[in-house]
């Protein structure tokens, strides 16, 4: 009788972590990782590169990333097979972290900020969708979600949405949505290089 054995080989994986707003690499000391549900400390090479060593090649690996000022994110790591059968750059996993309401936007950014509530309580993970027409007559859109990672955070239920300068002084159509709630619509003309506050209260669909 022939028996087939699966040999588990330990191999590396490379992550490139980027700021989803600026596009710059993230080398923040507050960044933490959980690999397959277990805290881990990769080798930090600078310029946003993190190397994870000794990964089993028998299954994909889930990576959870947390960093101050950003929304928590999750990705899957690609194990690098050795010897290389294609350029190393093709094995690098690129992950962009979206800004949270605690993100330090550069001075002069055109922003929409606010809190979404339901029955007077902050509402986490509600989608905020903005659509607007630029000066060339082309429709654009941006979206984000209200913060919902830490319930005791002062940002719980808040959102921050950066808009391009072309959206300033134009009408921006807003839609606030979450499953189990009636959508809320609004319209605002944000001021260039300033912050405009727009909140919403979503009624429960069962109300």
């Amino acid at each position: 009788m022939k028996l087939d054995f699966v040999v588990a080989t330990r191999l590396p994986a490379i992550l490139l972590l980027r700021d989803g707003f600026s596009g710059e690499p993230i080398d923040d000391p507050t960044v933490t990782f959980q690999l397959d549900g277990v805290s881990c400390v990769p080798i930090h090479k600078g310029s946003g590169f993190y190397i994870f060593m000794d990964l089993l090649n028998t299954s994909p690996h889930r990576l959870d990333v947390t960093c101050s000022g950003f929304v928590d994110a999750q990705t899957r790591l690609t194990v690098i097979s050795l010897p290389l059968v294609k350029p190393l750059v093709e094995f690098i996993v690129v992950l962009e972290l979206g800004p949270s309401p605690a993100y330090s936007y550069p001075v002069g950014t055109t922003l929409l900020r606010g809190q979404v509530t339901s029955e007077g309580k902050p509402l986490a993970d509600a989608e905020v969708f903005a659509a607007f027409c630029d000066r060339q007559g082309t429709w654009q859109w941006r979206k984000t979600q209200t913060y919902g990672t830490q319930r005791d955070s002062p940002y719980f239920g808040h959102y921050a949405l950066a808009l391009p300068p072309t959206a300033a002084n134009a009408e921006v159509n807003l839609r606030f949505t979450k499953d189990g709630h009636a959508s809320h619509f609004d319209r605002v003309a944000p001021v260039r290089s300033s912050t405009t506050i727009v909140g919403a209260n979503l009624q429960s669909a069962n109300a």
Side-chain angles (χ1 to χ4, degrees):
M1 182 175 65
K2 180 181 178 181
L3 295 177
D4 294 326
F5 293 93
V6 176
V7 178
T9 305
R10 292 186 174 274
L11 299 167
I14 301 176
L15 174 74
L16 173 56
L17 201 59
R18 285 180 176 162
D19 183 321
F21 175 75
S22 69
E24 296 295 320
I26 295 176
D27 295 304
D28 195 310
T30 67
V31 64
T32 59
F33 302 93
Q34 280 200 330
L35 184 65
D36 297 329
V38 179
S39 296
C40 68
V41 181
I43 300 171
H44 182 205
K45 302 298 288 185
S47 300
F49 285 98
Y50 298 84
I51 301 178
F52 297 80
M53 302 298 295
D54 298 329
L55 303 186
L56 294 177
N57 68 338
T58 54
S59 63
H61 296 274
R62 189 189 78 236
L63 183 69
D64 295 282
V65 183
T66 301
C67 186
S68 177
F70 295 91
V71 177
D72 294 354
Q74 186 181 100
T75 189
R76 290 195 176 274
L77 287 183
T78 301
V79 173
I80 301 174
S81 300
L82 299 175
L84 292 176
V85 295
K86 54 184 178 180
L88 179 62
V89 67
E90 296 187 25
F91 289 98
I92 297 174
V93 176
V94 180
L95 178 63
E96 290 191 345
L97 298 186
S100 78
Y103 182 85
S104 296
Y105 285 95
V107 175
T109 303
T110 302
L111 279 175
L112 297 179
R113 284 188 181 273
Q115 185 181 46
V116 178
T117 59
S118 180
E119 298 179 352
K121 298 180 180 179
L123 192 62
D125 303 319
E127 183 182 271
V128 183
F129 182 90
F132 55 92
C133 190
D134 64 22
R135 293 166 186 166
Q136 285 71 44
T138 302
W139 279 94
Q140 298 188 37
W141 60 271
R142 300 287 189 276
K143 71 176 180 179
T144 188
Q145 287 188 317
T146 56
Y147 183 76
T149 302
Q150 294 176 284
R151 185 169 289 274
D152 59 348
S153 167
Y155 297 103
F156 191 79
H158 286 253
Y159 75 92
L161 185 61
L163 299 176
T166 52
N169 302 318
E171 284 192 341
V172 175
N173 298 288
L174 293 171
R175 183 188 68 201
F176 301 85
T177 58
K178 182 169 182 176
D179 290 346
H181 297 77
S183 298
H184 176 86
F185 299 88
D186 207 337
R187 184 175 294 169
V188 64
V191 179
R192 184 185 179 93
S193 303
S194 298
T195 298
T196 302
I197 306 298
V198 187
N201 183 56
L202 303 190
Q203 299 296 322
S204 171
N206 298 322

